[in-house]
Amino acid sequence: MENIRAIIIDDELSSVQNLQQKLNAFCPSVTVIATAQKPEEAILLINHHKPDVIFLDIEMPKMSGFRMLEELGDTNFEIIFTTAYNHYAVEAIRIAAFDYLLKPIAIKELQTAVERLNKQRNNQTKEKIDILRSSMSEKKSQEDKIAISTSEGLEFIPIKNILHIESSSNYSKIFFQNEKTLMVTKLLKDFEDMLQPYHFYRIHNSHLINLNYIQKYIRGNGGRVIMQDGTNIEVARRKKEEFLKMIAG
């Protein structure tokens, strides 16, 4: 297993020590080459050591983890974010396909994140940061992109290209405007959380749709929608009232 050189960045010394101890004890492929409690110091260490990955705290005084990345410019390393609570930016982090760990960091979740790092270092951090930045903007646009993990790596897909997504057990099948489809190992609930601000709505347990691409609504108990690609999808009865309000607005 290839050695992973890591830098831990967190303004709280106890958090730095806790994460370093867990990495040393439970993640033998990771070597912590430096730690920093100040973002300014972290920038110098990153530029000097050129790590494979940084564990970066989102909330730091004076300069947040996100601001620190802006200051860095060159980002030829992977990033695993850490946060003490379910931060407002977590959905943006997920849209950009970054890993994140909630404090107190569970050993199993840490090991899983490191395993993913071992399997797939994609060197696409800059593209992911661009997606993170746009998804954190107050102005949501379907021109924005979402990063989707596939067996081959990451695909950066404009949200406007997604017509609808169908649940299939622990997988989701994405239907695109160009009639292509993509099966991914992500729950529909994850897509719902990420895409709801972009004018998507879950009309049924197994279907999330882009409201911009409804061709027709057919009345009934819940009713049905015909999507732009001709797909006929049932609207759950309990979703009908809210759904009709959304398309009326």
Side-chain angles (χ1 to χ4, degrees), residues 142 192 195-203 208-212 214 217 225 235 239-249:
Q142 289 209 349
E192 179 185 13
L195 293 174
Q196 196 167 358
Y198 294 92
H199 209 50
F200 280 69
Y201 186 72
R202 190 168 180 174
I203 60 172
L208 177 72
I209 67 170
N210 187 334
L211 296 172
N212 290 345
I214 297 173
Y217 171 71
V225 294
V235 180
K239 296 276 192 173
K240 179 179 179 179
E241 185 178 348
E242 185 180 27
F243 168 68
L244 291 177
K245 285 179 182 175
M246 291 194 72
I247 59 174

Side-chain angles (χ1 to χ4, degrees), residues 98-124:
F98 281 112
D99 258 324
Y100 70 95
L101 298 167
L102 290 176
K103 302 177 189 176
I105 295 170
I107 292 165
K108 182 60 181 172
E109 290 181 6
L110 176 61
Q111 288 176 318
T112 300
V114 170
E115 283 169 16
R116 275 196 289 265
L117 202 58
N118 270 311
K119 289 176 184 173
Q120 196 175 66
R121 292 192 216 174
N122 50 54
N123 295 319
Q124 293 171 299

